[in-house]
Amino acid sequence: MNSIDRFSKYLIENAEAISREITEYNLKKIEIELPVELISESIQTNTEFLQFLGETLNLSKESVSEKFIQWYEQKQLKQKNFKYAADELESIMKPYAETRLQLNEMLTKVSVSEELSTEKVVFVNNRVSYLLDLSITETIIEREKLSRELNNKNQKIITELSSPIVPIEKDTAILPLIGEFDFERSDYILTHVIPKISELRIKTLIIDFSGIATIDGEIAARIFNINKVLRLIGIETMLTGIRADLAIDVINTGIDFSKLTTYGTVQQAIIANKA
């Protein structure tokens, strides 16, 4: 058995003991108290990482990279989600560099005791660093993915909440526009709000712009298109809340809003609709 094989065998057999020592070292550096369940899971993950290291030392960098990513993804599927605030995550990640150095020092001592040559000691340390870098990279990618999914979910909720249909009479409703009016918002109104308006048998829709900060050419064109779609399906539209500054913005877009029915306030539109 050559020196690398002896080192690999030692690593696999002693992975849990090394993992516990590293975890205990790490816990002393963390400023928050972690749940016992998370500590146990951390020991298990580190143990599996060291076993993986021992089992793959003879593989090329390309092969070990592919296998490690597969191992990491399987580990993520089994792993429970622990949620922390930003300051807690910062506390957990802060001692990472020291922990990494401690692990390298421990493995270097083992390498020397197993009579690895200087070249092979460097190889082992480089492989450890490479796998840890892969781990950090995959963790960041996974967090970014989850963050995007959460942002998209929150954006969908915000869009739905900021485009409510408010029935005020049997065949009349108000659509108050709040916040930013962009492509996603106009698309949501066309694909979700307008069909719902038809289902509610609304004959008159008051679109209120009191909560919109600005109107540019793109927004004006979308408003015009929404109005045309509503009229094509037999729904009369009234625009309200277009302040003086918004009116100037509309004029500057070059789109003719003169044919649209507009009122200063929702109350004025309601009175006019009853007349």
Side-chain angles (χ1 to χ4, degrees):
M1 183 181 292
N2 61 40
S3 57
I4 283 289
D5 288 337
R6 287 199 307 273
F7 176 81
S8 297
K9 184 173 184 295
Y10 179 91
L11 203 57
I12 294 169
E13 292 175 349
N14 295 274
E16 184 175 352
I18 297 172
S19 173
R20 288 187 179 279
E21 185 174 343
I22 288 295
T23 302
E24 288 173 6
Y25 175 84
N26 199 28
L27 288 173
K28 294 176 183 177
K29 302 291 182 178
I30 295 177
E31 299 169 355
I32 63 173
E33 186 174 347
L34 298 179
V36 174
E37 188 178 0
L38 179 56
I39 295 173
S40 298
E41 187 167 316
S42 177
I43 292 172
Q44 179 64 27
T45 298
N46 291 337
T47 300
E48 292 178 11
F49 172 83
L50 291 169
Q51 289 173 339
F52 178 89
L53 173 65
E55 292 167 357
T56 59
L57 268 179
N58 287 318
L59 297 180
S60 65
K61 183 183 289 188
E62 292 73 20
S63 297
V64 80
S65 172
E66 183 178 350
K67 284 186 174 294
F68 181 80
I69 292 173
Q70 291 174 354
W71 172 82
Y72 179 88
E73 290 175 347
Q74 291 173 356
K75 185 66 183 174
Q76 288 296 103
L77 289 174
K78 296 177 182 178
Q79 203 171 40
K80 294 182 179 179
N81 293 322
F82 292 91
K83 297 181 180 179
Y84 293 94
D87 56 339
E88 292 176 321
L89 284 172
E90 181 182 349
S91 177
I92 293 172
M93 293 302 297
K94 187 180 290 184
Y96 174 78
E98 288 186 39
T99 303
R100 178 175 181 158
L101 181 62
Q102 175 73 1
L103 175 61
N104 276 328
E105 289 178 351
M106 289 177 64
L107 295 183
T108 297
K109 289 179 182 179
V110 175
S111 301
V112 172
S113 67
E114 294 298 324
E115 300 180 347
L116 267 68
S117 65
T118 301
E119 181 182 0
K120 289 181 179 179
V121 171
V122 172
F123 167 76
V124 169
N125 284 342
N126 285 342
R127 176 58 60 88
V128 172
S129 295
Y130 179 64
L131 292 182
L132 289 174
D133 286 343
L134 280 179
S135 176
I136 287 293
T137 300
E138 290 300 313
T139 299
I140 292 172
I141 291 173
E142 181 66 20
R143 285 196 171 277
E144 285 296 318
K145 179 183 175 183
L146 292 174
S147 179
R148 284 195 302 271
E149 290 175 354
L150 181 59
N151 287 339
N152 290 337
K153 182 180 178 180
N154 289 339
Q155 186 58 50
K156 183 179 179 182
I157 293 172
I158 291 170
T159 300
E160 292 174 359
L161 292 176
S162 57
S163 303
I165 302 171
V166 184
I168 55 175
E169 291 180 355
K170 182 180 179 181
D171 57 1
T172 304
I174 301 173
L175 176 60
L177 300 179
I178 304 166
E180 185 178 357
F181 193 88
D182 51 18
F183 175 79
E184 287 76 15
R185 185 80 169 280
S186 61
D187 184 63
Y188 178 80
I189 290 175
L190 286 169
T191 57
H192 292 80
V193 177
I194 290 178
K196 188 174 181 181
I197 292 171
S198 297
E199 292 173 8
L200 294 173
R201 300 183 184 278
I202 300 298
K203 293 181 181 179
T204 303
L205 181 66
I206 300 171
I207 305 178
D208 184 56
F209 291 85
S210 300
I212 297 294
T214 60
I215 295 179
D216 59 20
E218 191 176 8
I219 292 175
R222 288 172 184 165
I223 294 169
F224 201 79
N225 288 337
I226 290 171
N227 179 75
K228 285 197 296 185
V229 171
L230 288 168
R231 286 190 176 277
L232 283 173
I233 60 176
I235 298 172
E236 181 185 356
T237 58
M238 295 179 171
L239 309 186
T240 65
I242 301 180
R243 305 181 306 274
D245 57 324
L246 292 182
I248 294 172
D249 290 340
V250 169
I251 292 171
N252 290 335
T253 64
I255 297 176
D256 185 10
F257 268 45
S258 62
K259 294 180 181 179
L260 304 183
T261 305
T262 62
Y263 294 91
T265 66
V266 171
Q267 184 180 16
Q268 290 173 353
I270 294 173
I271 294 172
N273 187 51
K274 290 181 177 180

